[in-house]
Amino acid sequence: MPRSHLKKLARPGEAIEPPRDTEVVIAAAVVTVLVLALGVLSESLVWLLGLLVFLPGAASALCTVRQTTFVSAWTAAVVIAAVLLPEDDGQPWLDKILMVLLTLALGASSVYACHRRIGREREMLRLRSTAAAMQRHILRPLPMLTDDVLVDGVYEPVQEERLVGGDIYDVVTSPWGTRVLIGDVQGKGLPAVGAAFAVIGAFRATAHREPTLTALVDALDASVVRHNSYAAQTGDDERFVTALIVNVDAHEEVQAINCGHVLPQVLRDSDVITPELTSGVPLGLADLAAEPATVDWFAFPPGATLLLTTDGLTETRAADGAFYPVAESLARRVSLAPTDLPRALYDDARAFAGKEDRHDDVAILSVRRSPYRL
């Protein structure tokens, strides 16, 4: 993330991006002049002044506490001056006193409401800042560079306000090459995120320790099984995780194990090649498999781009139910730079879906051999 949408408060007690003081003063003055002019023309000044009590309420929703206090004081001063100073305007004194009391009460409540709003905003910013920090440690920002590869891409949770979703990725350097993981947790919501964390933690703990991809996959499968056992104790549903693990070293062929995941694509010159990989069972379901995980090899020469995606891209649908044509889209963009390809695919898929809401997270990674190896 990608990206952080957080905004800092300027000082304690201030709102997010409040208007400037001069804008607040000008707005209050303009509204006051208009209300007074209408009151004079209609000869009903007292009740038209009631329109001014909306000024503090508007300020409490948009301004800082200090600005809201100024607007409340301004409004009270104008109402007191316009209502109490004239002696023979024909208005009952009870109406005048009630108007002044109402203005003071609404001003005080507006300042209090602004203070509460600022407090909620600050708490939300702290929570989002914490979530962003967690994400940076769990899903490390792209791009990532190792001695073997340069990995770039796009990661977009289905809920834009949620920083981490059910799609996962990671890159770990090992003595046997760089290992790249991309996966998709079954289901959505916080339980799916918990399973995602379990797999990422296991990948980082074992990718640099296990010499074979089969042993690495066994460790990842065991992490999902353990997570499911804990989830069962709390009444949560069990999860499985589709995953693709790739090992890239100095050779022009790479190793890969496909655990029920979307197949990779290799872009070379003007060709788009889909390697034929054995599709195993997702992580967490190894006990149901008739055979252990199988390591496949496919060509990944210098200059080629390896594209890894989740089904959030391949299962994108248009309004008529048609699936996003990934192969055709790749064929049109095969000449794009690896750093530009993931974003171009993501934007094109969103345009293809139109106004249809996304129903899944999306992760798209481009893997290119590191320039240090070329």
Side-chain angles (χ1 to χ4, degrees):
M1 204 162 33
R3 49 179 212 281
S4 173
H5 303 297
L6 302 180
K7 300 176 182 177
K8 294 183 179 179
L9 293 177
R11 289 188 297 271
E14 290 196 354
I16 300 176
E17 293 188 351
R20 294 190 295 270
D21 291 345
T22 53
E23 294 174 338
V24 174
V25 172
I26 292 173
V30 169
V31 173
T32 300
V33 170
L34 289 176
V35 170
L36 292 176
L38 290 174
V40 171
L41 292 175
S42 64
E43 298 182 353
S44 180
L45 180 61
V46 171
W47 292 113
L48 275 176
L49 284 174
L51 296 174
L52 287 179
V53 302
F54 292 102
L55 272 177
S60 69
L62 302 173
C63 301
T64 66
V65 174
R66 180 174 56 82
Q67 291 171 341
T68 303
T69 302
F70 164 77
V71 173
S72 299
W74 171 286
T75 303
V78 171
V79 170
I80 291 173
V83 171
L84 297 183
L85 292 183
E87 296 182 358
D88 298 320
D89 57 358
Q91 296 291 343
W93 275 96
L94 180 60
D95 289 350
K96 295 180 178 181
I97 293 173
L98 289 177
M99 178 63 68
V100 171
L101 292 177
L102 178 63
T103 302
L104 294 174
L106 290 177
S109 62
S110 296
V111 173
Y112 175 73
C114 181
H115 177 76
R116 292 292 301 272
R117 174 183 64 84
I118 295 296
R120 288 194 298 270
E121 288 178 353
R122 289 174 58 80
E123 183 63 26
M124 182 61 67
L125 286 175
R126 281 194 292 267
L127 291 175
R128 287 180 60 82
S129 178
T130 301
M134 290 176 60
Q135 184 202 41
R136 285 193 297 270
H137 290 285
I138 296 166
L139 291 179
R140 292 181 292 171
L142 296 166
M144 289 186 278
L145 178 65
T146 72
D147 288 341
D148 300 294
V149 295
L150 171 64
V151 181
D152 206 343
V154 173
Y155 176 82
E156 294 288 346
V158 63
Q159 298 175 5
E160 294 185 359
E161 292 300 317
R162 196 177 74 203
L163 296 176
V164 179
D167 284 3
I168 56 176
Y169 66 84
D170 206 0
V171 179
V172 172
T173 301
S174 78
W176 307 278
T178 296
R179 289 168 171 181
V180 182
L181 163 73
I182 188 168
D184 186 359
V185 181
Q186 172 257 334
K188 298 180 178 67
L190 290 178
V193 174
F197 292 174
V199 174
I200 291 176
F203 183 73
R204 291 178 181 171
T206 57
H208 63 86
R209 187 179 65 207
E210 297 293 347
T212 65
L213 286 190
T214 53
L216 173 56
V217 169
D218 289 342
L220 299 182
D221 182 84
S223 72
V224 178
V225 172
R226 285 193 301 271
H227 171 80
N228 286 336
S229 67
Y230 295 137
Q233 296 174 12
T234 58
D236 293 330
D237 295 334
E238 294 185 352
R239 306 281 168 172
F240 62 81
V241 182
T242 67
L244 179 66
I245 300 93
V246 178
N247 187 86
V248 183
D249 55 20
H251 298 88
E252 291 196 6
E253 285 190 320
V254 300
Q255 304 175 59
I257 293 183
N258 183 17
C259 302
H261 197 71
V262 179
L263 290 174
Q265 306 282 342
V266 178
L267 286 67
R268 184 184 183 188
D269 298 328
S270 59
D271 297 326
V272 179
I273 303 169
T274 303
E276 295 183 4
L277 303 181
T278 304
S279 183
V281 298
L283 301 175
L285 303 178
D287 289 344
L288 303 179
E291 298 179 354
T294 301
V295 178
D296 292 301
W297 296 75
F298 62 87
F300 181 40
T305 299
L306 175 61
L307 188 74
L308 311 177
T309 70
T310 59
D311 60 12
L313 176 69
T314 59
E315 295 183 1
T316 296
R317 293 191 182 215
D320 60 1
F323 286 102
Y324 177 64
V326 178
E328 291 82 347
S329 180
L330 278 176
R332 295 194 303 269
R333 295 171 173 81
V334 69
S335 61
L336 282 180
T339 53
D340 298 330
L341 179 61
R343 175 57 62 178
L345 286 175
Y346 176 77
D347 291 341
D348 188 56
R350 291 296 298 271
F352 177 82
K355 295 182 180 180
E356 290 295 304
D357 292 333
R358 289 184 294 136
H359 300 292
D360 204 356
D361 306 316
V362 178
I364 308 172
L365 302 181
S366 65
V367 182
R368 187 86 164 186
R369 289 192 179 274
S370 171
Y372 302 140
R373 291 290 190 184
L374 301 181

